[in-house]
Amino acid sequence: MKFEKVHNKGQARLFKSRYLEMLTKTHPVVIFGMYLPVIGYMLYYSHANVGYSLLRILLTYFGAMFYWTLFEYVAHRFIFHWVSDQPAIRRVVYTLHGNHHEYPRDRQRLFMPPVPSVIISSVLFCIFYLLMKNNAFVFFPGFVSGYLLYGSMHYAIHAWAPPFKWLKPLWRNHHLHHYKNDDLGFGVSSTLWDRVFRTMFTLCLMLSLSAAGYAHQQAEGEYRLVKRDKSISLYERWITAGNEESVREIKAVFTVRSDVPAVARLLTDQQQGVVWNARAKSYQVLPVDDGRWITYLKYNIPWPFGDQDCCLLFRLNMRNEHSGEISFESTQNNRFPVSGDVTRITGTRGKWLMEELGNNHMQITYTITTNRSARIPRWVSDPIVRNNMFETMSTFRSILEKR
């Protein structure tokens, strides 16, 4: 959910109708005023009419609050950050949550507004009642109390500085989610589930897109859009390699005002190589002949992986100033011998495809196959791999546009 600019002032316009627009805004006092009477009445009803003991009510109530934290994490990660190439779905996601990422300090949209809030809570209560009968009269108040706690924390994080030192990790986690990487840090009222599902920001140091390997084979299946902003679209698919293991193929597509020679010059610029390549510690270029060169990259990958490097042979095939292809694949060269304390990445293939669009613009399609780490599950590695690729392509495009 990337935007060219995050606005710390103002708010998004979601509907043309000013009446519908009014229904998308609220104040915390309104939401508390709606739910506190419901919470109080249901708890009273559970004790006075249903006959539940105070101990049972307390255990169910706080259990429901704990369950809310999991619901909050799952909804935030998989619903509010749903990536789709369908315009209607993207519009719904933007209305639900995307506008908050573009205007994170819009205090009128930090709580779910009353109308959708009542609809969603009513549906949830019906589901709870179908599943647990009268227990729902205790579970629902605890669940909604968890929501009110979440909403209060969310409002405070965006409106004020942390009032106590022990709250700083929550503030930091959510601000990093907004301003650094929205594929991590989904917990707001708690970081528990980020730790359980390994989406805390400390994991950024563990993985890199650059840990690529295994051979590229004939593609199978369709690409799926996984990340997009106004300038770059990121796709991926899983294909079968020669050893019949599934490997990841990523494709980044963007337009830029440049030409093929400028792309080649940037790829052979040793000084800029460590700037746009994520995690690159060393970037060396060895000319081979006209239109071919070898690039050596060394990556500073933290424990438990250790340092890694790769040696790639590039080939330039230029049709004209604004169209052509630069392919690359793993190679070996005596100038860059394998070191015992560095893992050599082999089997990587990819290409930069440049197509003329007119007015000195061209579309660049970058593809690369990367291996799936058997030690790291996909639900952990996927968001970090995608974010690193996005960051790499964004930096590359920005440098190229300025040349």
Side-chain angles (χ1 to χ4, degrees):
M1 197 173 291
K2 299 291 184 182
F3 298 95
E4 287 190 354
K5 183 178 180 180
V6 175
H7 304 273
N8 286 321
K9 294 182 180 180
Q11 59 184 201
R13 179 81 183 195
L14 301 181
F15 296 101
K16 293 182 179 179
S17 168
R18 64 188 182 96
Y19 300 107
L20 288 177
E21 190 73 3
M22 288 173 58
L23 294 177
T24 68
K25 305 171 185 178
T26 190
H27 190 275
V29 172
V30 176
I31 304 302
F32 273 84
M34 288 169 46
Y35 285 115
L36 286 180
V38 175
I39 291 171
Y41 175 76
M42 285 192 174
L43 291 176
Y44 170 79
Y45 180 85
S46 300
H47 180 64
N49 293 69
V50 182
Y52 289 156
S53 67
L54 291 178
L55 178 61
R56 178 171 182 173
I57 290 174
L58 285 173
L59 291 176
T60 305
Y61 177 84
F62 286 108
M65 288 187 69
F66 177 76
Y67 177 78
W68 160 263
T69 62
L70 176 60
F71 180 88
E72 167 197 324
Y73 177 90
V74 172
H76 188 187
R77 180 175 179 179
F78 297 107
I79 298 177
F80 292 163
H81 283 265
W82 187 1
V83 176
S84 173
D85 56 359
Q86 297 296 319
I89 294 177
R90 293 205 304 271
R91 176 62 183 172
V92 170
V93 171
Y94 181 82
T95 301
L96 283 174
H97 191 64
N99 73 89
H100 171 57
H101 271 261
E102 191 171 15
Y103 296 88
R105 295 189 181 274
D106 178 5
R107 298 188 185 188
Q108 292 184 306
R109 292 193 174 118
L110 294 177
F111 273 83
M112 182 74 71
V115 173
S117 181
V118 168
I119 295 173
I120 294 172
S121 61
S122 299
V123 171
L124 287 173
F125 176 78
C126 292
I127 294 173
F128 295 156
Y129 189 80
L130 288 173
L131 294 175
M132 56 187 73
K133 302 303 180 183
N134 284 339
N135 287 305
F137 290 106
V138 185
F139 188 89
F140 182 77
F143 187 83
V144 174
S145 296
Y147 167 69
L148 294 179
L149 176 62
Y150 150 82
S152 301
M153 293 294 298
H154 193 212
Y155 190 94
I157 287 171
H158 285 284
W160 307 305
F164 306 105
K165 288 184 178 180
W166 57 272
L167 285 174
K168 284 186 177 180
L170 282 175
W171 260 249
R172 184 186 307 114
N173 195 56
H174 195 61
H175 282 303
L176 287 173
H177 171 78
H178 271 278
Y179 296 104
K180 185 66 175 178
N181 178 5
D182 61 15
D183 287 322
L184 298 172
F186 298 101
V188 177
S189 61
S190 169
T191 60
L192 170 64
W193 300 108
D194 280 313
R195 298 177 189 278
V196 171
F197 297 115
R198 300 182 181 181
T199 51
M200 285 292 289
F201 280 90
T202 51
L203 282 178
C204 287
L205 300 177
M206 294 179 61
L207 294 170
S208 169
L209 174 63
S210 305
Y214 297 115
H216 171 84
Q217 297 292 325
Q218 183 65 33
E220 301 172 356
E222 298 296 326
Y223 281 106
R224 182 172 65 92
L225 177 70
V226 294
K227 204 171 182 67
R228 167 184 282 168
D229 67 5
K230 294 181 180 179
S231 58
I232 298 176
S233 297
L234 191 66
Y235 305 84
E236 74 174 13
R237 61 181 171 186
W238 288 83
I239 61 177
T240 303
N243 55 5
E244 297 189 357
E245 181 181 1
S246 293
V247 298
R248 186 199 312 265
E249 184 175 73
I250 293 183
K251 178 173 71 173
V253 182
F254 58 91
T255 60
V256 64
R257 185 181 179 87
S258 188
D259 53 39
V260 177
V263 175
R265 286 194 298 271
L266 181 52
L267 290 174
T268 54
D269 188 327
Q270 297 184 131
Q271 185 175 4
Q272 290 295 327
V274 295
V275 176
W276 65 267
N277 258 292
R279 306 269 180 218
K281 183 179 180 180
S282 175
Y283 189 95
Q284 301 180 49
V285 177
L286 176 65
V288 176
D289 53 36
D290 188 29
R292 294 200 308 161
W293 66 90
I294 292 175
T295 299
Y296 171 79
L297 296 98
K298 184 177 180 181
Y299 303 101
N300 186 17
I301 309 296
W303 183 90
F305 296 101
D307 288 347
Q308 299 178 352
D309 66 0
C310 67
C311 194
L312 302 173
L313 174 63
F314 284 78
R315 296 182 178 88
L316 170 62
N317 179 17
M318 188 172 72
R319 290 187 288 274
N320 57 54
E321 289 289 311
H322 292 92
S323 65
E325 178 180 298
I326 300 175
S327 60
F328 59 89
E329 61 182 349
S330 294
T331 188
Q332 298 293 335
N333 187 276
N334 294 333
R335 173 82 174 271
F336 311 108
V338 178
S339 174
D341 59 346
V342 179
T343 302
R344 174 61 55 92
I345 302 168
T346 60
T348 302
R349 287 180 181 269
K351 64 182 178 180
W352 300 80
L353 178 63
M354 292 148 285
E355 300 173 284
E356 185 173 8
L357 297 178
N359 295 324
N360 293 322
H361 283 77
M362 62 183 184
Q363 177 176 284
I364 295 181
T365 303
Y366 173 79
T367 57
I368 186 173
T369 55
T370 66
N371 72 308
R372 167 183 171 181
S373 172
R375 299 176 62 182
I376 305 295
R378 276 188 58 187
W379 55 268
V380 175
S381 65
D382 282 2
I384 301 176
V385 166
R386 295 164 186 168
N387 184 71
N388 283 344
M389 169 63 87
F390 217 84
E391 180 182 351
T392 297
M393 291 295 104
S394 296
T395 307
F396 185 90
R397 180 182 181 277
S398 177
I399 294 174
L400 188 61
E401 188 83 33
K402 295 175 182 177
R403 287 194 162 215

